Amino acid sequence: MSIPSETILVEGLPGEAEILIDRWGIPHITASDETTAFFTQGFNAARDRLWQIDLWRKRGLGLMAEDFGPAYAERDRAARLLMYRGDMAAEWAAYTPEAKGWTEAFVAGVNAYVALTEREPERLPPEFGIMGSKPARWLPEDVLRCRAHARVRNLDAEITRHNIAVKYGMEADRFHKGFQPDWTVMVPEGMDPHPIPAEVLRMQNIGAEPNAINLGTPTLPADLADEGSNHWALAPHRTTTGRPILASDPHRVHEQPSLRYAVHITAPGLNVIGSGEPAVPGITFGHNDDIAFAMTIHPADQEDLYIYELSEDLTRYRYGGGWEAIRTEREPLKVRGEPDREIELSFTRHGPILHVNPETRRAYGLRSVWWEAGTAAYIGALGYLKAKDIKGYLAALDSWGAPSSNHVVAEVAGNIAYAVGTKVPLRPNWDGLMPVPGDGRYEWAGFTTTRDMPRHYNPASGWVGSANQYNLPADFDAAFRRTGFEWTDGARYARLSQVLNGETKFSVASTLALQTDVTSVQAKSLVDVLRAIPGTPSPARALLMGWDHRLSTDSAGGALYEAWFTKHLVPTVMRTLPPEGLAAMVAVPDTQHVTNLVLKADPAFGPEPEKARDALMLSTLEAAFAEVTKLLGPDTTAWAWGTLHQGFAEHPLSKYVSPELAAQLNVGPLPKSGAGSTLNNNGYRPSDFRVTSGVTWRMVVDVGNWDASITVNTPGQSGDPRSPHYRDLFPVWAKDEAVPLLYSRAAIEEAAEARIVLKRG
């Protein structure tokens, strides 16, 4: 069958290349050699996502003000503080030997497409015309120097814990977060008890903000508490196919276009398909001819806040037995509509200074694995693209730095495995849970790396997987390694293990059904408490007691439960149990911890904790019932979770253009199932229940029968509003469905809708 074909003359194209685009917008690249393959990946990423990847680079390097004006000058300064500034030779050497050449080729491909838009301006995405800006050319090191697009942790928790201890005493921190395993905070000696200014965390947040467009005052990013990811691999005896099945659905704060981009890269010796970030070469989640692979975040503690005593002239900080000079760098900053500025960036031996209080002569600095060679996000994935088996995959993980992550892998031979890829500081005399003095008493002593972390190979259960939950085995020396004590709510993993520990054998279709499962074990545990409360149930209580704990779009009980839990129960518990005012210091409560306080009827409820707990649950439930009645009307049979909980892909420029243009840029809304406590994780903002985080891309791989694999990427593969693939997958995603992830040449040819042939210009 003949399909539309376009030939493009490309400057600097190393060899021959072709891009077949299937009917779902997935590009399948065929190149004469690996260098040409990665060149074409960069060219194609710019073809589909130029506005997005150009913004990614400018945000990461602190170059926003040149395009968007003085409102972005502070954000640029913050971003430059968070960049990698170390030795680039050491940085390149930390990855697979091919990483440098592949990245150079990828960047050359991006630049070739930018050059093409200069010759043919009609190829520029409309956002450049809206803003009156132009795409910039890249350097290979730009990809590695941009660190903050994949967050590490736990600066926010350190600051909150310190401020709680200063105001209320260390014992009050038990209302802030729960620790796994059980742990008593090691309060650092020598810490001056003072409130840490809000400016410290604000500077890191605006430098790492994922959705960087805001034409007024920069805003803080959506909190990461609702983020999470699921993945698992099933052994052949656990599937209906007799082959392994691997499932992957990474969750992040939603962006428009989607954070993920699916692509297929083929050259002699290389054949890999899956998803990654469009501004980064290679693929992070996917498969090659021999193995399938995926990752989720393993929430290790990879950063620390240091507090310094400054000299009277504020140019030195106390270190060891004397004073050490603050290193200062001055850099030009281009600002649209204004003369160039000069900004000052200050650093200690540990890293950037986020804030200085001249009155108290204190400075606040960040130390992060970001400043260590080999921690550019996802570049470590380049090492396993050509792995032939699990052994080769795990060998590639040895150099993994960031983000700290759980990995699952399945091979055609039938084996499955789990491993952690990470680089976590060894803290010999503290636990990383609070800020420490920067005077030399608290120094890192090497790292816990991938080889030190747990691994599982072909377990008897027939599956491996994770959902960001606490997963360190009992024999892991957490007291020595102290890799992290603060974990994501375990509700998703509880549901995953509940299903996978059964006797069911899974197909690709039933694996997708589990990925999109909307049963909340958190809800069941709380409704069971409601059921046990004496007395005649009110209509609100009766509705939840008769509910199946499923957050489907048509669920009346789901609408009431989520309004109750998020907007009434959790906030009221946090206002009632801790000392007055503490709740205001906790930006986003630890939902698992709050749920446990309720389930256990914590003594802080009062002298009769169960009675007080029950009364609080009933009163907050009635308040939620009244709120949902106002939102959805008095007829509870007409209530539906999907009426409140809607997916909506909002373009960052849509607030600043005409309604007609905004309608072209935005996608949705459509009803969406699930929530943060379900495997189908679709977190939302409490103000209006709009979905803001969770799944945008997912994949189920039939290992060895590759063409039977499926995927989805919402709202579409393309970031260009003029493309038919800008919004075509949004309804598929909203209905929890998927499309084929084709791999064989015959299947791709059959599904192809367009062909692009690249020739040397």
Side-chain angles (χ1 to χ4, degrees):
M1 182 178 66
S2 177
I3 60 173
S5 182
E6 177 186 17
T7 298
I8 303 176
L9 300 180
V10 180
E11 295 178 355
L13 181 68
E16 298 178 355
E18 174 191 77
I19 308 169
L20 279 179
I21 302 164
D22 67 27
R23 68 186 64 159
W24 305 282
I26 298 174
H28 301 265
I29 295 168
T30 302
S32 57
D33 56 83
E34 291 178 6
T35 300
T36 305
F38 283 94
F39 181 102
T40 307
Q41 186 192 10
F43 183 90
N44 177 74
R47 179 192 65 82
D48 244 353
R49 300 286 190 98
L50 182 57
W51 164 257
Q52 181 187 29
I53 67 172
D54 183 70
L55 190 63
W56 177 92
R57 175 185 170 275
K58 289 171 178 173
R59 183 197 76 184
L61 297 179
L63 302 171
M64 297 277 288
E66 183 175 1
D67 279 2
F68 303 114
Y72 290 83
E74 183 184 41
R75 178 179 283 139
D76 281 351
R77 181 179 177 275
R80 294 190 193 189
L81 285 170
L82 302 181
M83 283 168 32
Y84 176 75
R85 292 172 175 269
D87 177 60
M88 286 307 302
E91 172 71 357
W92 288 117
Y95 308 106
T96 183
E98 296 99 335
K100 188 172 189 290
W102 287 350
T103 304
E104 289 172 342
F106 178 87
V107 165
V110 173
N111 291 340
Y113 191 83
V114 171
L116 180 63
T117 66
E118 293 169 349
R119 299 193 303 272
E120 302 176 21
E122 66 274 11
R123 293 185 184 270
L124 271 180
E127 291 94 335
F128 290 103
I130 293 170
M131 295 307 302
S133 61
K134 295 180 179 180
R137 283 171 167 75
W138 296 37
L139 297 172
E141 54 265 33
D142 293 347
V143 177
L144 275 61
R145 294 176 70 204
C146 295
R147 293 295 216 232
H149 60 103
R151 298 286 293 272
V152 295
R153 54 195 54 77
N154 65 343
L155 181 69
D156 54 345
E158 284 187 31
I159 293 173
T160 299
R161 182 167 295 109
H162 173 94
N163 286 345
I164 287 173
V166 167
K167 187 170 184 178
Y168 301 106
M170 196 69 240
E171 65 280 0
D173 183 62
R174 76 181 190 88
F175 299 106
H176 168 213
K177 279 186 180 292
F179 296 140
Q180 294 176 279
D182 289 338
W183 188 257
T184 300
V185 177
M186 301 170 66
V187 179
E189 294 182 3
M191 179 57 71
D192 183 10
H194 69 281
I196 295 174
E199 185 68 12
V200 178
L201 183 58
R202 191 180 81 87
M203 281 301 290
Q204 193 215 36
N205 281 345
I206 65 173
E209 185 176 12
N211 296 307
I213 292 289
N214 183 343
L215 299 184
T217 302
T219 59
L220 300 187
D223 189 86
L224 303 183
D226 282 338
E227 292 190 27
S229 303
N230 312 317
H231 68 180
W232 61 93
L234 299 163
H237 71 273
R238 296 299 313 278
T239 72
T240 61
T241 67
R243 296 178 296 272
I245 289 177
L246 182 142
S248 172
D249 54 300
H251 311 158
R252 289 280 292 274
V253 169
H254 286 188
E255 300 180 32
Q256 171 64 337
S258 166
L259 174 67
R260 310 294 179 189
Y261 184 74
V263 63
H264 185 184
I265 307 170
T266 307
L270 176 69
N271 191 3
V272 61
I273 189 171
S275 174
E277 297 193 1
V280 177
I283 285 166
T284 308
F285 319 81
H287 71 81
N288 59 26
D289 288 327
D290 303 294
I291 63 169
F293 44 84
M295 57 159 278
T296 66
I297 292 299
H298 179 93
D301 180 357
Q302 294 182 293
E303 64 186 3
D304 288 306
L305 180 66
Y306 283 83
I307 303 178
Y308 304 92
E309 176 190 350
L310 299 182
S311 60
E312 290 188 10
D313 63 1
L314 307 180
T315 64
R316 295 168 294 158
Y317 60 97
R318 188 177 296 281
Y319 191 83
W323 296 90
E324 195 161 297
I326 293 174
R327 178 170 59 87
T328 300
E329 296 186 10
R330 291 177 174 82
E331 297 182 352
L333 178 70
K334 292 183 180 297
V335 180
R336 182 171 180 170
E338 292 186 3
D340 291 357
R341 301 182 186 182
E342 184 178 75
I343 58 173
E344 184 173 283
L345 308 171
S346 297
F347 303 86
T348 71
R349 62 165 52 215
H350 301 123
I353 293 177
L354 300 177
H355 178 63
V356 172
N357 186 332
E359 295 181 0
T360 61
R361 290 198 286 118
R362 293 192 188 99
Y364 302 84
L366 177 67
R367 187 171 191 183
S368 172
V369 296
W370 278 338
W371 328 139
E372 304 295 325
T375 58
Y378 310 116
I379 299 297
L382 295 175
Y384 55 66
L385 296 187
K386 297 197 291 183
K388 296 294 185 182
D389 50 27
I390 289 174
K391 181 179 179 181
Y393 185 92
L394 296 181
L397 276 192
D398 284 345
S399 60
W400 189 277
S404 186
S405 46
N406 304 290
H407 293 252
V408 295
V409 57
E411 61 185 18
V412 172
N415 302 302
I416 61 173
Y418 161 88
V420 177
T422 195
K423 191 170 192 173
V424 187
L426 283 169
R427 303 172 174 95
N429 58 331
W430 87 107
D431 53 19
L433 291 170
M434 295 186 74
V436 292
D439 58 11
R441 283 178 286 177
Y442 297 90
E443 295 293 341
W444 294 356
F447 297 92
T448 292
T449 63
T450 297
R451 293 186 180 185
D452 304 310
M453 298 298 289
R455 293 184 176 183
H456 308 296
Y457 183 79
N458 285 342
S461 64
W463 70 278
V464 291
S466 68
N468 315 111
Q469 84 291 349
Y470 176 63
N471 60 2
L472 297 177
D475 61 355
F476 182 78
D477 193 353
F480 168 68
R481 298 209 174 273
R482 304 170 190 165
T483 56
F485 300 93
E486 300 161 313
W487 298 76
T488 300
D489 191 326
R492 285 182 290 111
Y493 185 76
R495 176 58 178 167
L496 179 66
S497 57
Q498 180 185 73
V499 175
L500 292 184
N501 285 335
E503 299 299 321
T504 303
K505 289 191 174 185
F506 289 84
S507 65
V508 169
S510 61
T511 301
L512 175 64
L514 183 55
Q515 281 185 323
T516 57
D517 181 87
V518 294
T519 299
S520 173
V521 296
Q522 174 202 81
K524 183 181 185 305
S525 66
L526 290 168
V527 171
D528 284 348
V529 176
L530 281 176
R531 184 174 285 107
I533 297 175
T536 303
S538 67
R541 188 171 156 212
L543 178 57
L544 287 189
M545 289 167 58
W547 174 49
D548 61 3
H549 316 119
R550 298 184 72 252
L551 290 163
S552 54
T553 55
D554 61 353
S555 174
L560 176 58
Y561 175 79
E562 286 298 317
W564 174 51
F565 182 80
T566 301
K567 300 189 70 174
H568 296 273
L569 181 62
V570 170
T572 303
V573 169
M574 288 299 294
R575 287 194 302 268
T576 304
L577 269 63
E580 184 177 355
L582 186 147
M585 300 172 68
V586 180
V588 177
D590 180 339
T591 54
Q592 177 173 302
H593 188 49
V594 172
T595 300
N596 289 339
L597 293 174
V598 173
L599 295 177
K600 296 174 182 177
D602 189 88
F605 276 101
E608 296 182 89
E610 289 192 8
K611 184 176 180 180
R613 184 270 315 272
D614 293 350
L616 183 148
M617 293 181 76
L618 292 176
S619 65
T620 54
L621 179 59
E622 294 306 317
F625 189 84
E627 178 177 357
V628 179
T629 299
K630 288 182 180 179
L631 292 170
L632 299 180
D635 181 5
T636 59
T637 63
W639 289 5
W641 174 226
T643 305
L644 297 175
H645 188 240
Q646 304 244 319
F648 184 72
E650 183 178 20
H651 193 286
L653 292 183
S654 63
K655 304 186 197 72
Y656 311 108
V657 298
S658 69
E660 295 76 18
L661 185 51
Q664 297 176 36
L665 297 175
N666 294 334
V667 182
L670 283 176
K672 195 73 183 87
S673 60
S677 65
T678 64
L679 284 170
N680 196 358
N681 178 5
N682 295 291
Y684 56 87
R685 61 190 190 194
S687 61
D688 61 0
F689 302 99
R690 178 187 289 180
V691 175
T692 57
S693 66
V695 181
T696 59
W697 178 85
R698 63 165 52 97
M699 168 186 76
V700 180
V701 180
D702 187 348
V703 178
N705 184 22
W706 305 116
D707 284 341
S709 304
I710 56 177
T711 189
V712 74
N713 188 20
T714 189
Q717 275 283 100
S718 178
D720 191 329
R722 301 167 300 186
S723 168
H725 299 298
Y726 182 72
R727 62 182 72 234
D728 58 328
L729 296 180
F730 186 70
V732 178
W733 168 81
K735 291 185 290 186
D736 296 329
E737 296 174 350
V739 302
L741 184 64
L742 301 178
Y743 190 66
S744 72
R745 183 68 181 187
I748 295 164
E749 291 273 7
E750 178 67 23
E753 67 171 21
R755 184 189 313 272
I756 300 174
V757 177
L758 305 186
K759 291 185 176 294
R760 290 193 183 100

